[in-house]
Amino acid sequence: MAMTLEQAQRVGYTCLKALLRFAFMVANNLVAIPSYVLYLIVLQPLRILDSKSFWYIEGVLFKWLLAMVASWGWWAGYTVVEWGDDVKAVSEDEAMVLVNHQATGDVCTLMMCLQDKGTVVRQMMWLMDHIFKYTNFGIVSLIHGDFFIRQGKAHRDQQLVLLKDHLEKYYRSRNRKWIVLFPEGGFLRKRRETSQAFAKKNNLPFLKHVTLPRLGATQVILKTLVAPQENGTLSGGDAVRKESKSKGLQWVIDTTIAYPKAEPIDIQTWILGYRQPTVTHVHYRIFPVKDVPAEPEALTNWLYQRFIEKEDLLTHFYETGAFPPPQGQTKAISREMTLSNLWLVAIQSFAFLSGGMWYCLFQYLYHCLF
């Protein structure tokens, strides 16, 4: 069937827009990432004299970099609506964030929806697959202190030891608050069949929208970051905000990402913007860490239960277009997450001005020396 003139124009416009967006993304990376690195090199004396101030500045720059990534999706119309608990209430406390994993766009979605959560973005640590170390953003994550984990049985035990050492060395020394991980250990489409076979063999629920999570990293984080007197303590009732003043990890934030029609956004779509504007839905549920069991078997069951609940949440969402209301309520309330276009333009401008400044400085030094 021949393409009409109108269809050809639409395809041409989409391709041109994608090309321009890609060119902007490349230019953005070429100025923003080197500028981040160079600013921190210049500030190394401050790191020696006042480490706390150095990591504060690094965190601000890191948040701006993540906001630039968020802006690529925001300006393409990829927005976020939030459901469930209000995580802003615990944004100043230490928390572990458990997220289901469907595509590379999940990370971009989190970069966007956490921008308006106070100091969270600049004080968070990410656990991600080691392959991301070799991407354009890898140098930023290395400097920031994120942890790159290698998947596979052959590496599992060693990686958990390295994770424990990493947390002890960097988490509190850099004043980190939130740690984000994807317990499924990979994308849904890659792990679903294996997970379902494991569930059948072990008489566990059959899951379609998530996979059964892995225990290792979650257990290491809890053992390393939770205050000893709290880990493993069971108690009922709702936790109040004032209880979180003691040191250590205080909350587990169970985060569920849902895409309309179960069609996740990948990083290519986020960059090129060829997909029609889409609303991604993010559901939060906050658990006090004192309600999380410490023993491996009990913790495994607790973690499995969280992902069984995610399955129910996603099933309800795909059937109705909304998440179910909290227990005891008749209606679920959603919150539209917004970003300031003026702020996004300001940080993008700062990045390009910084790139120009560094270029002129190096040109001047080159002419002075040669």
Side-chain angles (χ1 to χ4, degrees), residues 8-160:
Q9 289 175 334
R10 189 180 300 116
V11 170
Y13 171 73
T14 300
C15 291
L16 177 60
K17 183 178 70 171
L19 181 62
L20 292 174
R21 283 177 58 87
F22 181 74
F24 175 78
M25 184 275 296
V26 171
N28 201 180
N29 275 270
L30 288 176
V31 296
I33 294 177
S35 294
Y36 166 88
V37 174
L38 290 168
Y39 277 126
L40 295 181
I41 290 174
V42 170
L43 288 171
Q44 285 304 302
L46 178 63
R47 183 177 180 178
I48 298 171
L49 297 171
D50 187 353
S51 177
K52 183 176 181 181
S53 295
F54 174 85
W55 289 113
Y56 176 87
I57 295 170
E58 184 278 333
V60 172
L61 295 175
F62 183 80
K63 178 177 180 177
W64 290 353
L65 283 178
L66 267 58
M68 292 177 204
V69 176
S71 72
W72 305 341
W74 181 259
W75 288 333
Y78 305 148
T79 57
V80 172
V81 166
E82 298 176 311
W83 304 74
D85 295 333
D86 184 4
V87 296
K88 288 182 181 179
V90 297
S91 62
E92 296 300 320
D93 303 327
E94 291 188 23
M96 177 174 62
V97 185
L98 307 176
V99 193
N100 62 314
H101 209 9
Q102 301 172 70
T104 48
D106 298 341
V107 175
C108 300
T109 296
L110 288 173
M111 288 180 178
M112 175 187 287
C113 65
L114 297 180
Q115 283 291 325
D116 68 342
K117 307 298 186 295
T119 62
V120 163
V121 175
R122 66 177 176 84
Q123 292 182 290
M124 73 194 319
M125 179 181 286
W126 297 75
L127 265 65
M128 61 190 79
D129 192 278
H130 80 288
I131 195 66
F132 288 101
K133 185 188 297 185
Y134 308 104
T135 65
N136 60 313
F137 212 78
I139 183 63
V140 174
S141 290
L142 278 169
I143 294 172
H144 184 68
D146 296 328
F147 184 77
F148 299 93
I149 191 164
R150 188 181 293 271
Q151 303 292 344
K153 291 182 179 180
H155 308 285
R156 192 167 298 161
D157 292 341
Q158 180 193 30
Q159 290 298 298
L160 295 179

Side-chain angles (χ1 to χ4, degrees), residues 98 100 184 195 199 202-213 254 256 285 287 299-316 323-324:
L98 307 176
N100 62 314
E184 291 164 294
S195 176
N202 293 275
N203 196 29
L204 294 168
F206 184 85
L207 307 177
K208 296 190 298 181
H209 306 305
V210 295
T211 65
L212 290 170
D254 186 26
T256 305
R285 189 177 178 196
F287 294 88
L299 178 59
T300 299
N301 292 332
W302 185 90
L303 198 57
Y304 280 177
Q305 188 58 40
R306 301 290 74 75
F307 277 77
I308 292 168
E309 290 173 1
K310 285 180 184 292
E311 176 78 11
D312 294 337
L313 286 171
L314 290 168
T315 298
H316 190 280
F323 283 112

Side-chain angles (χ1 to χ4, degrees), residues 166-223:
H166 185 90
L167 293 172
E168 290 175 344
K169 186 175 181 180
Y170 297 117
Y171 192 81
R172 300 240 160 76
S173 67
R174 299 185 181 183
N175 195 30
R176 299 294 174 245
K177 293 292 187 181
W178 284 21
I179 183 165
V180 181
L181 69 154
F182 300 90
E184 291 164 294
F187 298 140
L188 173 64
R189 67 180 186 277
K190 293 183 177 181
R191 291 210 61 245
R192 178 159 40 199
E193 187 176 340
T194 303
S195 176
Q196 290 173 346
F198 178 83
K200 184 177 181 180
K201 182 179 178 180
N202 293 275
N203 196 29
L204 294 168
F206 184 85
L207 307 177
K208 296 190 298 181
H209 306 305
V210 295
T211 65
L212 290 170
R214 294 171 176 173
L215 177 67
T218 303
Q219 186 177 30
V220 169
I221 291 168
L222 290 171
K223 282 187 174 182

